[in-house]
């Protein structure tokens, strides 16, 4: 008996004449994530991608990896059978019953894409339900709240049978690379990894920039950010992390500018440096983890002052309307939360003023900023930037 993994997608179906481009990109990403050596064949038909695993492949591991590929909404491990009712009711029932022992209730849902098949969907469901009941005792049918749902799909060439215990939800969204490239300002906090995940879910390929201020921030703090980046890469695939030395810049700001303006001038310098790094690497936008009103530098006034330094590319803030509980929920879902709360400070917190301004004006900030050579310090940060290739955790 042949077994395949069925991959179903959502928004791609709406892409009209461009749909095949998105499907092909999704297939490319699938091969990259699971490894071409683990795939015997892959094809697309009727809004489904069919993956036949190689004989030596661990299909459970493949399913886990596929659940993190953006663009996929549903994955199932299914048995493949001849489009013959007797075969479905014998071999198909035997196959699906292997994953049902211990269940107390079930129902069968059938889908008949091939309308020439001599049994309609209700008839297929009824007959398969009877075949399963004859094999497993005790078991009852519960169409409202079943413990297990068995699915039978009659398609053009073959029949596919599986239980929801052998299926899982995908990450959703759009295939990585379908919406261009952007650069995330990645700190060691809770918010920016979530912002990276959210924008990547919309098909954006990522680079990342991290500002590092030794000895005020430790090597452990940098390792923490690299670990966060690896967790994000489990969804996005490999990407470059640019590590920007920022100690001298922060000390220059601290020693020359009013204390209540320190954070905003620092943010402006970071955005200028990040924009230049992004442009050098063909990014089309910057991404931040800012949420409106969460801290003093994220008020409407402060964000407007920060944005003013941008000259070429837009800034996207996926978390702008979310509260902290919503952000933490996603952080837990993508497994970044526990790493984010490790007690290693980043450069955004070590020079925090006691009473930062919450309603800054550009005129006042520029007056303070002019006390330092902004262009010199930005260029120095960019020139001394190092990088690390981030690979997903295995």
């Amino acid at each position: 008996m042949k077994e395949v993994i069925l991959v179903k997608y959502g928004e791609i179906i709406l892409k009209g004449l461009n749909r095949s481009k998105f499907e092909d990109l999704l297939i490319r990403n699938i091969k990259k994530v699971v490894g071409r050596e683990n795939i015997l064949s892959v094809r697309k038909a009727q809004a489904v991608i069919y993956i036949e695993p190689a004989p030596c492949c661990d299909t459970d591991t493949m399913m886990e990896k596929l659940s993190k590929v953006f663009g996929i909404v549903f994955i199932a491990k299914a048995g493949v059978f001849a489009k013959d009712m007797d075969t479905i009711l014998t071999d198909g029932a035997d196959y699906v019953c292997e994953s049902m022992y211990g269940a107390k209730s079930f129902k069968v849902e059938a889908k008949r894409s091939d309308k020439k098949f001599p049994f309609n969907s209700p008839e297929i469901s009824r007959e398969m339900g009877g075949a399963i009941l004859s094999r497993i005792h005790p078991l009852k049918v519960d169409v409202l709240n079943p413990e297990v749902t068995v699915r039978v799909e009659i398609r053009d060439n073959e029949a596919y049978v599986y239980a929801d215990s052998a299926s899982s939800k995908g990450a959703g969204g759009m295939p990585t690379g379908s919406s261009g490239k952007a650069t995330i300002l990645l700190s060691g906090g809770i918010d920016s990894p979530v912002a990276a995940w959210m924008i990547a879910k919309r098909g954006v390929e990522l680079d990342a920039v991290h500002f590092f201020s030794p000895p005020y921030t430790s090597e452990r703090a940098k390792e923490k950010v690299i670990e966060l980046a690896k967790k994000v890469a489990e969804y996005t695939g490999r990407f470059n992390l640019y590590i920007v030395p920022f100690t001298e810049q922060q000390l220059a700001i601290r020693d020359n500018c009013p204390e209540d303006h320190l954070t905003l001038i620092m943010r402006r310098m970071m955005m200028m440096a990040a924009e230049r790094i992004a442009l050098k690497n063909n990014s089309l936008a910057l991404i931040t983890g800012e949420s409106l009103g969460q801290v003093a530098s994220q008020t409407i006034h402060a964000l407007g002052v920060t944005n003013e330094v941008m000259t070429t590319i837009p800034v996207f803030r996926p978390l702008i309307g979310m509260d902290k509980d919503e952000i933490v929920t996603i952080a837990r879902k993508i497994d970044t939360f526990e790493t984010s709360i490790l007690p290693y400070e980043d450069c955004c917190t070590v020079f925090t003023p006691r009473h930062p301004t919450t309603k800054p004006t550009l005129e006042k900030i520029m007056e303070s900023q002019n006390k330092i050579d902004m262009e010199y310090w930005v260029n120095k940060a960019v020139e001394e930037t190092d990088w690390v290739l981030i690979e997903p955790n295995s």
Side-chain angles (χ1 to χ4, degrees):
M1 183 210 73
K2 185 168 74 172
E3 192 171 59
V4 300
I5 294 178
L6 305 179
V7 172
K8 301 183 181 183
Y9 41 84
E11 288 184 64
I12 294 176
I13 295 172
L14 306 177
K15 294 302 177 181
L17 296 177
N18 291 322
R19 176 169 144 184
S20 63
K21 296 179 181 178
F22 288 87
E23 291 172 331
D24 291 343
L25 180 56
L26 179 56
I27 290 172
R28 188 196 74 180
N29 292 345
I30 287 170
K31 290 178 178 178
K32 186 186 301 183
V33 168
V34 305
R36 295 175 184 271
E37 70 279 4
N38 292 314
I39 297 175
L40 199 61
S41 68
V42 58
R43 65 182 180 87
K44 60 180 181 179
Q46 297 179 303
V48 177
I49 294 171
Y50 302 82
I51 302 172
E52 185 177 355
C56 60
C57 175
D58 182 339
T59 54
D60 290 335
T61 299
M62 181 181 284
M63 293 271 289
E64 173 63 24
K65 290 182 176 180
L66 288 171
S67 71
K68 296 180 179 179
V69 175
F70 288 125
I72 295 174
V73 299
F74 180 81
I75 313 134
K77 185 161 52 176
V80 184
F81 303 95
K83 246 177 22 177
D84 168 77
M85 198 63 178
D86 288 338
T87 302
I88 294 169
L89 296 180
T90 53
D91 298 345
D94 288 341
Y95 169 78
V96 80
C97 283
E98 291 179 8
S99 60
M100 291 182 60
Y101 287 108
K104 296 180 180 178
S105 64
F106 81 109
K107 72 173 180 178
V108 178
E109 290 187 355
K111 180 179 180 180
R112 185 185 60 154
S113 298
D114 178 8
K115 302 306 180 185
K116 295 180 181 179
F117 191 71
F119 294 82
N120 62 29
S121 296
E123 290 170 339
I124 297 168
S125 297
R126 184 173 61 250
E127 294 296 323
M128 181 58 110
I132 292 171
L133 285 171
S134 69
R135 285 165 169 78
I136 303 178
H137 304 280
L139 186 65
K140 68 176 183 178
V141 175
D142 185 343
V143 297
L144 297 178
N145 189 31
E147 192 173 332
V148 176
T149 299
V150 172
R151 303 183 191 277
V152 181
E153 298 184 8
I154 309 297
R155 296 188 172 269
D156 284 347
N157 299 315
E158 294 165 313
Y160 301 86
V161 180
Y162 60 94
D164 58 7
S165 54
S167 67
S168 62
K169 290 184 178 180
M174 297 297 296
T176 300
S178 62
S179 299
K181 182 180 178 182
T183 296
I184 175 79
L185 277 73
L186 188 65
S187 73
I190 296 170
D191 300 338
S192 58
V194 173
W197 181 85
M198 289 183 66
I199 204 72
K201 186 176 181 180
R202 300 309 308 153
V204 176
E205 180 184 354
L206 290 182
D207 275 344
V209 171
H210 174 66
F211 292 88
F212 180 54
S213 297
Y216 300 97
T217 55
S218 66
E219 282 294 321
R220 295 294 297 275
K222 183 166 71 173
E223 291 168 6
K224 168 184 170 180
V225 170
I226 291 173
E227 180 59 28
L228 285 171
K230 289 180 178 180
K231 289 182 178 293
V232 172
E234 291 179 16
Y235 293 89
T236 66
R238 65 168 65 178
F239 62 86
N240 292 319
L241 171 63
Y242 296 94
I243 300 175
V244 184
F246 209 59
T247 308
E248 293 180 84
Q249 287 79 355
Q250 287 191 285
L251 291 174
I253 296 169
R254 184 197 67 180
D255 294 343
N256 294 280
C257 302
E259 184 188 17
D260 60 338
H261 291 173
L262 296 185
T263 300
L264 278 178
I265 296 172
M266 179 192 73
R267 290 293 295 173
R268 284 167 62 85
M269 188 180 289
M270 285 179 168
M271 297 297 276
M272 290 174 68
E275 181 183 39
R276 294 181 191 186
I277 292 168
L279 289 172
K280 286 172 62 176
N281 295 284
N282 301 313
S283 273
L284 303 175
L286 292 183
I287 314 299
T288 76
E290 292 161 312
S291 171
L292 187 61
Q294 184 170 207
V295 294
S297 63
Q298 296 176 21
T299 64
I300 287 180
H301 302 78
L303 292 174
V305 168
T306 301
N307 270 16
E308 189 273 340
V309 300
M310 304 303 296
T311 59
T312 306
I313 58 178
V315 181
F316 297 144
R317 297 177 169 93
L319 312 186
I320 196 68
M322 299 176 68
D323 62 36
K324 200 66 177 184
D325 286 344
E326 293 171 316
I327 297 168
V328 166
T329 297
I330 297 175
R332 292 185 186 278
K333 172 184 174 181
I334 65 176
D335 193 33
T336 57
F337 179 76
E338 294 299 331
T339 303
S340 291
I341 62 174
L342 291 173
Y344 309 120
E345 292 187 310
D346 60 42
C347 69
C348 294
T349 58
V350 293
F351 290 103
T352 303
R354 288 169 295 179
H355 303 291
T357 181
T358 58
K359 294 184 178 181
T361 64
L362 182 59
E363 181 182 9
K364 289 290 186 182
I365 295 298
M366 288 302 297
E367 182 180 328
S368 299
Q369 181 180 301
N370 288 336
K371 298 178 185 296
I372 61 171
D373 188 341
M374 195 76 158
E375 190 68 17
Y376 168 79
W377 289 116
V378 171
N379 284 335
K380 183 175 174 61
V382 174
E383 289 169 2
E384 296 178 354
T385 294
D386 198 3
W387 69 277
V388 178
L389 178 62
I390 299 297
E391 300 272 8
N393 286 320
S394 56

